[in-house]
C-alpha cells in the first residue's frame, strides 16, 4: 500500500477531489429549452422563471414561490419587504451569507447557540434572547437538516415576531412530514451550484403570505411597480434569467432521484466511518428527514489522535478537498465584530470539530470507499502524522 503524502509518499489522488459537484441534467433537455428561449428572444424573468416558480410551489405545497438571483438577494429582499427594524435572533453556526441580509438592512444580529446533537438553532436559547427590540427570528436548516422550525413558529407566534428561514441547503428536506418551504413567514432557498436543486446561480423565496410575495416581485425589479414605474422602496435587480431558470427546470426534474441517491451515499459514509474512535455524526432533528446534502462529521481530538485542522491538512495533501462547514462561525467574522452574542459555547466547540466530506448525487461507492480509506489510514498513523505536521508548522 502506498505511503500517505504527509509521510513522504505521493498523493493518493492524482487530481483534486471536489467537496461538491453539480449533478448535470441530461443535455438534450437543457438544449431544447435553450432553443426555445433563443427563438423567443425572452432571456430574463419570463416563461421558464414562471414555470420554475409554479412547479416548485406545487412541490413544496406553498402558495407563492418568487425566483430571484440568489439566496443572498432573496434574504435581503425578504427582510426589507417585511419592514423589519431592530434585533434579529439567529444561530452563529452557519454560512456567512446568513447574516449579511440583516446587516444590509441595518438590522442587529443577536447570535445564539445551537443544539449540540443536531447543529440546529436551539429554540430555548432563542426564547431567552427575545427582548422588546426583537423583531424576528432567522432559522437555518444547516447541512439540509431542518432546524426545530415548528418550535420556532410557536415562539414567533407567542412573541409576535416574524420568522424567516435560511433554507439555502434544504430543498426537499422535511420536518414532521411537512416539506421545508412553508415554515414561518418566508423560507429562502439557494440554487447555486453546490445545492441539490441548482440553476447555476439563483434563489427561490417560498411564502404563504401573498402580500409579501407581491412586494418581493417588485423588490426583484428595483422595487418598481411595473404599471406606474413608481418605487415605494429601494429594491434590487435580483431577477433570475431565463438561462438559469431553464437549467433549474432540468435540475428540478431530477430532484427526487438526486435526493434519493444523496441520502443513500450519505448513509454509506456513515457505515464506512462507523467505529472510528473520536468520530461522531450530527443527528437529524426529531421528526426531520434531511435531504443529505452535506456529510459532516465531528472529530474529537483526544480520541482520534489528531485535531480537525490536522486531519484537514492531511486530507488536503492527498488531494481530497474536505471543508469546515461552518468554521469560522458568524460571530467571529470581521463584518460582525461587536455584534450581540449570547453564550456560544456549543457553537465554538462544534466549529472546532466539523469536517465535511465530498458528496454529490452522482458520487460513486468506490470514491467514497477510497476517501474513507485515506481517512482511516491518517487515523492509524496519527502520531506520525502529527509529528510531521507539527514540524511543518514550526519551520
Ligand atoms: C449557499 C448558502 C447561502 C448562499 O446562497 P447564494 O445563493 O449563493 O446567495 C446562504 N446560506 C447558506 C446556509 C448556504 O448554504
Amino acid at each position: 500500500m502506498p505511503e500517505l503524502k504527509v509521510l513522504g509518499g505521493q498523493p493518493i489522488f492524482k487530481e483534486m477531489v471536489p467537496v461538491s459537484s453539480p449533478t448535470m441534467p441530461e443535455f438534450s433537455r437543457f438544449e431544447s429549452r435553450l432553443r426555445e428561449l433563443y427563438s423567443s428572444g425572452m432571456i430574463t424573468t419570463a416563461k421558464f422563471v414562471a414555470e420554475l416558480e409554479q412547479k416548485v410551489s406545487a412541490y413544496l405545497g406553498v402558495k407563492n414561490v418568487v425566483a430571484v438571483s440568489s439566496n443572498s438577494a432573496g434574504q435581503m429582499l425578504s427582510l426589507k419587504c417585511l419592514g423589519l427594524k431592530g434585533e434579529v435572533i439567529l444561530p452563529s453556526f452557519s454560512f456567512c451569507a446568513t447574516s449579511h441580509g440583516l446587516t444590509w438592512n441595518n438590522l442587529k444580529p443577536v447570535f445564539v447557540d445551537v443544539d449540540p446533537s443536531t447543529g440546529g438553532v436551539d429554540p430555548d436559547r432563542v426564547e431567552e434572547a427575545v427582548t422588546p427590540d426583537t423583531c424576528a427570528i432567522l432559522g437555518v436548516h444547516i447541512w439540509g437538516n431542518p432546524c426545530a422550525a415548528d418550535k420556532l413558529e410557536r415562539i414567533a407566534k407567542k412573541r409576535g415576531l416574524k420568522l424567516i428561514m435560511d433554507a439555502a441547503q434544504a430543498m426537499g428536506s422535511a420536518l414532521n412530514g411537512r416539506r421545508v418551504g412553508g415554515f414561518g413567514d418566508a423560507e429562502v432557498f439557494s440554487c447555486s451550484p453546490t445545492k441539490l436543486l441548482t440553476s447555476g446561480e439563483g434563489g427561490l423565496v417560498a411564502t404563504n403570505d401573498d402580500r409579501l410575495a407581491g412586494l418581493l416581485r417588485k423588490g426583484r425589479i428595483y422595487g418598481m411597480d411595473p404599471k406606474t414605474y413608481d418605487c415605494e422602496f429601494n429594491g434590487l435587480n435580483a431577477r433570475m434569467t431565463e438561462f438559469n431558470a431553464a437549467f433549474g427546470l432540468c435540475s428540478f426534474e431530477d430532484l427526487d432521484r438526486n435526493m434519493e441517491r444523496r441520502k443513500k451515499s450519505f448513509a454509506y459514509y456513515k457505515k464506512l466511518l462507523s467505529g472510528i474512535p473520536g468520530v461522531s455524526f450530527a443527528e437529524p432533528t426529531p421528526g426531520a428527514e434531511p435531504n443529505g446534502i452535506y456529510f459532516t462529521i465531528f472529530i474529537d481530538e483526544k480520541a482520534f489522535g489528531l485535531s480537525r485542522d490536522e486531519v484537514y491538512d492531511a486530507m488536503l495533501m492527498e488531494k481530497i478537498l474536505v471543508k469546515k462547514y461552518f468554521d469560522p462561525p458568524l460571530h467571529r467574522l470581521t463584518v460582525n465584530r461587536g455584534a450581540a452574542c449570547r453564550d456560544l459555547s456549543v457553537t465554538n466547540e462544534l466549529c472546532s470539530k466539523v469536517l465535511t466530506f465530498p458528496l454529490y448525487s452522482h458520487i460513486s461507492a468506490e470514491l467514497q470507499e477510497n476517501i474513507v480509506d485515506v481517512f482511516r489510514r491518517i487515523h492509524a498513523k496519527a502520531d506520525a502524522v502529527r509529528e510531521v505536521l507539527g514540524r511543518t508548522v514550526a519551520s
Side-chain angles (χ1 to χ4, degrees), residues 70-72 75 94-95 97-98 140 166 168-169 190 192 195 202 326:
S70 68
N71 159 289
S72 304
Q75 289 202 66
S94 187
F95 181 61
T98 300
V140 184
D166 182 345
Q169 306 173 357
S190 169
S192 74
K195 307 304 194 304
F326 286 93

Side-chain angles (χ1 to χ4, degrees), residues 50-347:
E51 189 182 337
L52 182 64
E53 290 178 337
Q54 178 228 314
K55 285 190 167 153
V56 173
S57 155
Y59 177 79
L60 299 177
V62 176
K63 274 171 83 183
N64 307 280
V65 168
V66 180
V68 287
S69 53
S70 68
N71 159 289
S72 304
Q75 289 202 66
M76 285 163 71
L77 288 173
S78 299
L79 296 161
K80 175 121 199 162
C81 293
L82 285 167
L84 299 175
K85 281 190 180 60
E87 298 175 354
V88 177
I89 301 167
L90 76 163
S92 169
F93 191 43
S94 187
F95 181 61
C96 63
T98 300
S99 59
H100 284 352
L102 300 177
T103 41
W104 269 99
N105 280 292
N106 287 319
L107 290 159
K108 267 188 69 185
V110 176
F111 294 113
V112 299
D113 222 345
V114 291
D115 180 309
S117 64
T118 67
V121 66
D122 185 332
D124 293 337
R125 302 291 87 77
V126 170
E127 189 144 30
E128 285 166 14
V130 176
T131 73
D133 288 334
T134 308
C135 60
I137 301 166
L138 175 56
V140 184
H141 306 300
I142 193 104
W143 311 309
N145 179 19
C147 66
D150 46 351
K151 292 187 179 154
L152 295 182
E153 277 186 334
R154 284 201 287 278
I155 296 168
K157 195 162 176 212
K158 192 166 85 182
R159 303 295 191 115
L161 306 172
K162 295 290 180 193
L163 174 62
I164 305 110
M165 299 288 182
D166 182 345
Q169 306 173 357
M171 181 58 77
S173 302
L175 181 69
N176 302 328
R178 238 174 107 189
R179 233 177 218 141
V180 162
F183 290 95
D185 295 278
E187 298 213 59
V188 188
F189 296 93
S190 169
C191 302
S192 74
T194 63
K195 307 304 194 304
L196 209 48
L197 165 57
T198 177
S199 56
E201 295 290 353
L204 297 166
V205 186
T207 178
N208 284 310
D209 177 346
D210 295 340
R211 184 174 168 274
L212 176 60
L215 289 172
L216 287 167
R217 290 186 188 285
K218 288 181 185 166
R220 72 179 173 186
I221 48 166
Y222 321 101
M224 190 175 77
D225 183 320
K227 289 198 194 87
T228 63
Y229 280 42
D230 185 29
C231 294
E232 285 168 53
F233 62 99
N234 53 345
L236 297 167
N237 173 357
R239 288 184 292 240
M240 182 184 277
T241 75
E242 286 287 280
F243 300 97
N244 292 110
F247 193 90
L249 280 165
C250 300
S251 179
F252 177 75
E253 285 159 2
D254 297 339
L255 174 62
D256 281 337
R257 185 203 65 185
N258 286 343
M259 184 163 61
E260 283 322 303
R261 288 182 176 176
R262 195 88 146 210
K263 287 181 180 173
K264 250 185 158 165
S265 305
F266 187 102
Y268 192 44
Y269 259 142
K270 231 172 151 172
K271 188 173 158 212
L272 290 170
L273 284 158
S274 68
I276 305 178
V279 173
S280 60
F281 311 102
E283 292 298 324
T285 298
E289 284 171 65
N291 59 6
I293 186 168
Y294 293 120
F295 184 80
T296 297
I297 63 169
F298 303 128
I299 295 180
D300 180 76
E301 176 171 356
K302 252 208 183 121
F304 188 83
L306 291 166
S307 70
R308 186 280 314 274
D309 285 336
E310 287 168 327
V311 178
Y312 174 88
D313 289 343
M315 296 283 278
L316 215 57
M317 288 174 86
E318 303 302 340
K319 298 200 182 236
I320 302 171
L321 190 55
V322 281
K323 289 275 179 179
K324 306 169 187 179
Y325 284 160
F326 286 93
D327 184 32
L330 304 181
H331 72 281
R332 282 199 232 128
L333 302 178
T334 304
V335 68
N336 289 326
R337 191 180 290 156
C341 294
R342 293 296 177 124
D343 174 27
L344 295 170
S345 44
V346 176
T347 300

